[in-house]
Amino acid sequence: MCIFSVLKHNPAFYPFVLFNRNVQLQPLNTFGISAITSLFAEIKSEEDLLRIMDTPDFHENPRLILGGGSNVLFTDSYQGLVVKMGIPGIQVIQESPDYVLVEAGAGVCWDELVAFCVENNWGGIENLSMIPGLAGAAPIQNIGAYGVELKDTFHSLKAIHIHTGSLVSFSTGDCHFAYRDSIFKQKKERPYIITRIVLKLNKKFHLNLEYGLIKEVLKQHSISQPGLSDVRRAIMEIRASKLPNPSELGNAGSFFKNPVMSASDYNTLKEK
């Protein structure tokens, strides 16, 4: 369950109030660190975000756009505005005999999106099972695991420009995806807030089983002709063996980035 879902059952946040004050962030970060933010808002739509952006509090305070809470480590209370991404919804916006375009709100739990697609037998992101965080954050990092990256299935996204309030669409080429990188990390000012993403998934898919222990786990379970759900379960088993459940032991998941070097440096190192 995504950590932000605790808010779904808290009536204090409904109906939509522009800002809440002195809100406890402990249930909203995977380390479970106790921290108070002086201003807080959870958005459920682009309209919510635009309403917040049309206030002095948004522009005059330090602000943090908070997703799944797995990439933050609070060391003190936050003297500023925390905007919790909560735009929901998964829907098919286009379909053909070969593929399907699936749109997800930026507040959708990433692993719930993976589960939804696997259940519908749409291939492409099953290897990205159990990555913590929300769908809207996935393009920023160009998340990847077990031989697959987000860019392999990415189609487009929508984002709102912080200064103009305009809704902007980004195609794959616009995002400048690289290894754990995108234009959203490269731009120093980072003026966009992602609100929705669209993935292109295959109905006639090819499973990627070459990375790590996937084949070994499948073999242990006597699965010789795996389907999407088999691969997902194998990935989940591997990840569970390496990382504790954040609800049991606070952690940030797997966030390492392999070193990158030039071909000449690699060849020099190889010779040694």
Side-chain angles (χ1 to χ4, degrees):
M1 180 177 70
C2 275
I3 210 160
F4 82 92
S5 63
V6 295
L7 295 185
K8 295 178 181 178
H9 307 291
N10 188 342
F13 289 87
Y14 297 96
F16 182 81
V17 177
L18 206 57
F19 296 111
N20 291 276
R21 298 184 181 275
N22 300 320
V23 172
Q24 173 61 254
L25 299 173
Q26 187 170 20
L28 300 179
N29 69 92
T30 58
F31 278 110
I33 302 296
S34 177
I36 303 293
T37 180
S38 51
L39 288 171
F40 179 91
E42 183 182 17
I43 61 170
K44 295 291 186 179
S45 66
E46 285 90 350
E47 290 74 21
D48 287 348
L49 179 56
L50 290 173
R51 287 172 63 197
I52 291 170
M53 289 170 57
D54 194 29
T55 65
D57 281 325
F58 182 86
H59 296 282
E60 295 174 3
N61 284 284
R63 58 179 176 263
L64 170 66
I65 310 302
L66 185 63
S70 62
N71 64 338
V72 292
L73 177 60
F74 292 106
T75 58
D76 202 349
S77 292
Y78 187 75
Q79 301 302 318
L81 168 63
V82 170
V83 178
K84 183 71 184 73
M85 177 54 67
I87 298 177
I90 303 173
Q91 63 175 333
V92 175
I93 60 174
Q94 187 176 321
E95 190 169 2
S96 80
D98 297 324
Y99 69 87
V100 60
L101 296 186
V102 179
E103 180 186 82
V108 171
C109 178
W110 172 258
D111 196 52
E112 290 178 9
L113 175 59
V114 176
F116 177 84
C117 294
V118 168
E119 287 167 7
N120 283 278
N121 214 34
W122 301 328
I125 58 174
E126 58 280 352
N127 288 41
L128 303 181
S129 292
M130 283 190 71
I131 293 180
L134 305 185
I140 298 174
Q141 178 78 355
N142 182 27
I143 59 173
Y146 299 96
V148 173
E149 291 183 307
L150 177 79
K151 69 179 180 62
D152 300 331
T153 55
F154 181 85
H155 178 271
S156 58
L157 65 78
K158 294 178 181 178
I160 290 180
H161 195 286
I162 289 175
H163 303 302
T164 66
S166 57
L167 184 64
V168 185
S169 295
F170 287 79
S171 66
T172 303
D174 296 329
C175 293
H176 297 179
F177 287 126
Y179 173 57
R180 304 299 178 269
D181 201 5
S182 74
I183 192 173
F184 305 104
K185 288 182 68 175
Q186 296 162 8
K187 279 189 173 294
K188 185 177 181 180
E189 190 180 0
R190 300 184 187 178
Y192 297 102
I193 298 177
I194 296 171
T195 59
R196 300 181 187 277
I197 69 169
V198 179
L199 304 179
K200 184 177 181 179
L201 303 172
N202 297 311
K203 293 182 177 180
K204 301 176 181 179
F205 46 82
H206 173 72
L207 299 176
N208 188 331
L209 308 177
E210 301 305 316
Y211 193 96
L213 301 174
I214 301 175
K215 285 185 176 180
E216 182 178 328
V217 171
L218 292 172
K219 185 178 180 180
Q220 289 172 359
H221 291 282
S222 302
I223 300 173
S224 58
Q225 295 182 318
L228 294 179
S229 59
D230 297 315
V231 175
R232 173 169 163 78
R233 283 192 292 268
I235 297 292
M236 294 172 71
E237 182 176 328
I238 295 168
R239 292 183 70 93
S241 70
K242 295 181 177 182
L243 293 168
N245 187 327
S247 64
E248 299 173 1
L249 179 63
N251 68 86
S254 174
F255 59 88
F256 70 90
K257 181 176 180 179
N258 289 320
V260 178
M261 64 176 63
S262 67
S264 60
D265 288 341
Y266 170 76
N267 289 328
T268 300
L269 183 64
K270 189 177 179 180
E271 291 172 359
K272 293 181 179 181

